[in-house]
Amino acid sequence: MAKSQPPIMEINPPLLNSANPWATTLDDLRSLYACASTGAVTTRTSLIKGFPHDSNKHKYLFFDSSDHAIAWDRASLRGPENASLNSLGYSPIALANYLGFIEAIAKEQPAASPITKYFIVSVTGAPEEVAESYRLIASAQRNITIPLAMEVNLSCPNIPGAPPPAYSGTSLARYLSVLDGLISSSGDDLPRLPFGLKTPPFTHDGQFRTLIDVLLASSERNSGLTPVSFITATNTLGSCLVLLEGNDNSGPVPSAQQPALPGAGFGGMAGAPLHPLALGNVATIRRLLDEHKEKLGHVRIIGVGGVLDTGGYSRMRSAGASAVGVGTGLGLKGIGIFKEIESGLSTVDGK
């Protein structure tokens, strides 16, 4: 059987939002898609079935990584905040609703020219649910003029009792096996969509090798090419803690400080403190993909993690990212961050 090249997304400009709290609602997505400085838009990660949002449990905050001073929203920022922590998990809005949002946005687009700007629909769930998500997104593509792709989020650190599947070779292989089977058996029944994997922060060689081994195994099932089109690296770093200021820190032993987030206070951290780790993930994954160029070289990387300005964008591109995603920066600066970053792209990319 001849090799079948997986579909590739062209993201131009190579700048987009990551799946994050500021890409949750129809208004969020409409504004992101209308922004001329985004080359694609990613939805917040959804499940097939939604769930009630609990504002007592599901929170985020911004903080200054040097002194941990907290701001609860954009309106209360002091200026030096450069990081975020969240206990949100996935979007409470179901996948079908997001497909409805995208269809509505598609109908608002001018009909004069073909639409090339992608919507990347971020999803998660059990392997069979992810396969069903692909079916739903591919079926929706027949009625949506905006090109669609699917990101499989295998990296959320905020789900109790469910470690990120991408840390486990066995779990990761189950997802790819199910998707391989679906794509190979669907024939002409469903449009072929680009799909990718969102990975958690990897911190040692074994984790990177596990990812590559699973991708190589998938290539053997698919005539020598993995069907994965892209990898989004990286998600937030779990088990992080920001504390509220104590009432009395004047003595030799500071008083106990309470966690800023609910419960034990642990959450996923993003922003400037994550940036060096994200760069290392992008660079290492790119190198390992290129070591197996015939089977994995086509896989592109969307670099995410601590990109707050054009400098962060430049570093991500230098590390090997084909496109660069923004999360915390969007929360801190609003949608204007994309124009701010793009204003330096001509210098960064040498155009």
Side-chain angles (χ1 to χ4, degrees):
M1 183 184 295
K3 294 182 180 181
S4 176
Q5 179 75 26
I8 300 298
M9 289 186 298
E10 296 296 338
I11 300 177
N12 185 31
L15 186 60
L16 67 161
N17 66 293
S18 63
N20 62 59
W22 307 283
T24 298
T25 68
L26 173 57
D27 286 343
D28 291 338
L29 298 176
R30 180 182 283 125
S31 296
L32 286 162
Y33 202 79
C35 178
S37 298
T38 58
V41 172
T42 310
T43 68
R44 187 172 166 192
T45 301
S46 64
L47 298 154
I48 290 179
K49 294 182 179 180
F51 59 89
H53 174 78
D54 185 345
S55 59
N56 293 319
K57 295 180 180 179
H58 305 142
K59 292 181 177 293
Y60 71 84
L61 58 85
F62 302 112
F63 67 98
D64 177 351
S65 58
S66 64
D67 65 8
H68 285 216
I70 293 169
W72 292 103
D73 53 34
R74 197 179 298 153
S76 60
L77 293 172
R78 298 178 302 125
E81 294 86 356
N82 60 3
S84 66
L85 189 75
N86 85 83
S87 58
L88 290 168
Y90 308 130
S91 176
I93 300 173
L95 171 60
N97 295 94
Y98 278 113
L99 294 175
F101 293 168
I102 296 169
E103 185 171 6
I105 293 169
K107 291 177 179 177
E108 298 166 359
Q109 305 308 306
S113 58
I115 301 173
T116 58
K117 185 173 181 174
Y118 273 86
F119 251 111
I120 303 172
V121 186
S122 186
V123 303
T124 195
E128 294 73 21
E129 292 171 320
V130 167
E132 180 60 23
S133 296
Y134 183 93
R135 292 188 190 94
L136 291 171
I137 298 168
S139 295
Q141 180 71 91
R142 297 192 180 104
N143 301 315
I144 295 175
T145 54
I146 292 173
L148 303 178
M150 183 177 79
E151 175 189 88
V152 185
N153 185 345
L154 302 179
S155 54
C156 180
N158 293 329
I159 308 304
Y167 282 134
S168 163
T170 301
S171 295
L172 184 55
R174 284 184 61 213
Y175 280 91
L176 275 184
S177 178
V178 169
L179 286 167
D180 288 349
L182 171 64
I183 291 169
S184 63
S185 65
S186 62
D188 296 327
D189 294 339
L190 292 173
R192 179 78 182 272
L193 304 181
F195 80 88
L197 310 176
K198 187 173 188 179
T199 55
F202 294 146
T203 60
H204 63 80
D205 181 70
Q207 293 170 326
F208 292 105
R209 295 290 176 182
T210 293
L211 172 66
I212 297 302
D213 287 346
V214 171
L215 291 174
L216 287 171
S218 77
S219 73
E220 296 304 317
R221 296 191 297 268
N222 289 274
S223 305
L225 280 175
T226 180
V228 174
S229 296
F230 64 94
I231 292 172
T232 304
T234 175
N235 206 335
T236 58
L237 181 64
S239 300
C240 293
L241 183 66
V242 171
L243 299 173
L244 296 169
E245 291 296 330
N247 293 321
D248 181 12
N249 292 324
S250 60
V253 180
S255 61
Q257 295 182 340
Q258 299 300 312
L261 291 180
F266 297 109
M269 183 194 67
L274 183 64
H275 192 54
L277 181 57
L279 289 172
N281 273 241
V282 169
T284 303
I285 293 171
R286 183 71 267 160
R287 175 176 58 80
L288 293 174
L289 291 172
D290 289 344
E291 285 181 2
H292 305 277
K293 190 173 288 291
E294 288 192 3
K295 298 178 178 180
L296 308 181
H298 64 278
V299 179
R300 299 186 178 183
I301 299 177
I302 299 175
V304 179
V307 175
L308 304 177
D309 51 28
T310 301
Y313 167 90
S314 176
R315 288 186 288 273
M316 274 294 183
R317 294 277 283 173
S318 295
S322 297
V324 178
V326 179
T328 296
L330 173 60
L332 287 168
K333 298 184 178 181
I335 204 162
I337 190 172
F338 297 105
K339 184 176 181 179
E340 175 190 326
I341 292 174
E342 192 192 22
S343 67
L345 290 187
S346 58
T347 301
V348 170
D349 287 339
K351 294 179 181 177

